[in-house]
Amino acid sequence: MRKHVMTLIAAVALTAGAAVSTAPSALAAAPDAAGGTARAAAARASQPAANVNRNVRRVPAALAAANVIYSPGCSGTTLPIDCTITEPVVTQRETTYPFSFLPGDHVTVTAGGCVQTGGHGLTWKRYVDPASDNDLYHGLITVPGATADLARLVNVVGRPYVVGGRGGSLKLGYEDDGYSDNGYTAHDNGTGNQCLNSVNAYVRIVVS
C-alpha cells in the first residue's frame, strides 16, 4: 500500500514538473510571435509605394487647362509616361493641370521655348532661363511630393526626382509683375534676341 502511494506521488510530481517546464517556453514564444507580426506590419506601412499600381491613366479622358496643347503621351497608362505640355498658361501666377503623380514615381522634367511678355519693342523671353534685368519671367513648377512649391524650372529641369507622400496634381506657373498682355501671339526675336528661331514654351514630363 505504501509503495503504491509513493508511486502515485511520483507520477503527480513528474506531471507538474512537465507543465512547469513547458509553460515558460510557450509564454516566451508568444511575445516573439506578436513582436514579429508588429514588425512586419510596420515594415509594410513604411513602404506604401510598393503597393501602388502606377500603370494608370494620369489625366482625365477630357483634358482642359485654357488652350494648352497636350501630347498623346499625356494620356498613356503604362510606364514610362512621356507627356509634353505646349503653351502652358502664362497669364496668371499658377495653374493646376489634370496630370497626377503617384507615390514612388520617378520624374524628370525638361522645358524650353519662349513666352510673349507684352510691352513695347522686342518682348519675348525664354521660359526657363530668361535674360532679364529684373529677375522676372521665369516658368515655375510643382511636382507634389518631390519639388518645392512653384520652384523655378531652371532649378528643376534635368534633375531626377522621386515622388513621396501622397503625390498629387501638377502645377505650372509664371513669374511676372503683370499678366494681362502675356501669351504666345506676335512672335518676335525677343529681348536681346534671346528668342531668335525659338518655339513657344513647353514642359516635358517623363514618369517611370
Side-chain angles (χ1 to χ4, degrees), residues 75-151:
S75 298
T77 58
T78 303
L79 298 175
I81 294 171
D82 190 338
C83 174
T84 298
I85 296 171
T86 303
E87 298 186 3
V89 177
V90 291
T91 53
Q92 57 193 30
R93 170 73 178 178
E94 67 178 86
T95 301
T96 300
Y97 291 73
F99 185 95
S100 61
F101 298 95
L102 300 177
D105 280 348
H106 291 250
V107 179
T108 56
V109 178
T110 55
C114 283
V115 175
Q116 164 67 274
T117 62
H120 302 287
L122 303 179
T123 56
W124 281 63
K125 309 281 193 307
R126 287 194 298 264
Y127 181 56
V128 175
D129 58 341
S132 172
D133 59 0
N134 54 4
D135 203 34
L136 294 174
Y137 315 118
H138 292 85
L140 309 172
I141 188 170
T142 301
V143 177
T147 70
D149 188 50
L150 293 180

